[in-house]
Amino acid sequence: MPSTQAHLDGTRTEYFDVQCSEETLQALLRETFEVNWRHVTFGPCIEGAVFEGRFGGKPRLSLLDGYATVEVPGSDSWHFHLCIGPHRGSASLPTPPGLAQWRRCTRAAFFRNLDTGGRASAWGVRLWNGRGEQMLTVFFPNPWIDPVRQRFVAEPDWSRLELWMRARERFTGVPAETPPANAQPPVTH
């Protein structure tokens, strides 16, 4: 059963929660970044700021002290770290339990943004830390956006939702849905 968050502008976001075990989050991140890296855009997405990153080569995920690192091997390009498991620090600099709890991902959810008329406008997955601060948003292919031109289209290509539907089903148990008949484009900024 999804939860829904209402926004000040009348839009809503539906969330489908994922179990936040290290094993599940690692599998989710591997599938997203090692397998489907060409198809996703990612970064923080908060009111007033959206980062839309992509990797130029196939990234690799590694895990150390509870932190997943996603990077392109042998590249000087940027990378990122997400705390998804138990984090203890080192013998010379142990991490206090309260700080470890704050850093660790405690909520992950697939999401679907809905405009004021209830039409879906974006699909993805989001992670939050122990204080409810957003760690990462990953946007999946959008049936209303041409993947080459990155512009909205008049007719949706529903096949672009297959990746999100398949991943959401695998990690939340929510089965894929039939695309809406006679869908109208969502109203976006």
Side-chain angles (χ1 to χ4, degrees):
M1 183 72 153
S3 61
T4 303
Q5 178 183 7
H7 304 290
L8 294 174
D9 61 359
T11 62
R12 298 181 319 277
T13 302
E14 291 180 325
Y15 289 107
F16 307 85
D17 286 318
V18 173
Q19 178 191 14
C20 272
S21 70
E22 181 178 54
E23 180 181 338
T24 300
L25 293 173
Q26 185 176 8
L28 173 62
L29 292 171
R30 282 194 190 284
E31 184 171 316
T32 302
F33 291 109
E34 290 184 343
V35 177
N36 295 300
W37 63 276
R38 286 184 179 95
H39 308 291
V40 298
T41 304
F42 57 91
C45 177
I46 58 174
E47 291 301 327
V50 177
F51 291 69
E52 296 182 7
R54 290 180 168 268
F55 281 110
K58 182 180 179 178
R60 176 183 63 115
L61 185 137
S62 59
L63 193 64
L64 178 65
D65 192 28
Y67 273 87
T69 298
V70 181
E71 64 185 329
V72 176
S75 170
D76 289 335
S77 89
W78 65 280
H79 59 276
F80 63 87
H81 309 279
L82 297 168
C83 187
I84 63 168
H87 169 56
R88 294 173 185 83
S90 65
S92 62
L93 189 59
T95 302
L99 186 55
Q101 185 178 11
W102 178 358
R103 291 175 174 172
R104 187 171 179 177
C105 179
T106 58
R107 184 176 183 211
F110 283 84
F111 71 87
R112 174 172 43 208
N113 289 343
L114 305 173
D115 71 7
T116 56
R119 295 174 295 260
S121 61
W123 293 259
V125 67
R126 189 165 283 146
L127 282 68
W128 296 265
N129 68 16
R131 287 206 178 160
E133 299 163 333
Q134 187 190 134
M135 299 170 75
L136 177 71
T137 293
V138 178
F139 292 101
F140 282 68
N142 187 322
W144 293 103
I145 297 178
D146 179 291
V148 175
R149 296 182 310 117
Q150 291 297 303
R151 299 284 181 243
F152 278 91
V153 295
E155 293 296 320
D157 178 352
W158 295 113
S159 70
R160 292 187 195 126
L161 271 187
E162 289 175 13
L163 176 58
W164 184 80
M165 290 283 191
R166 190 175 62 244
R168 183 186 67 163
E169 183 169 13
R170 175 178 174 198
F171 292 101
T172 71
V174 176
E177 303 152 5
T178 305
N182 303 317
Q184 296 296 312
V187 177
T188 63
H189 50 267

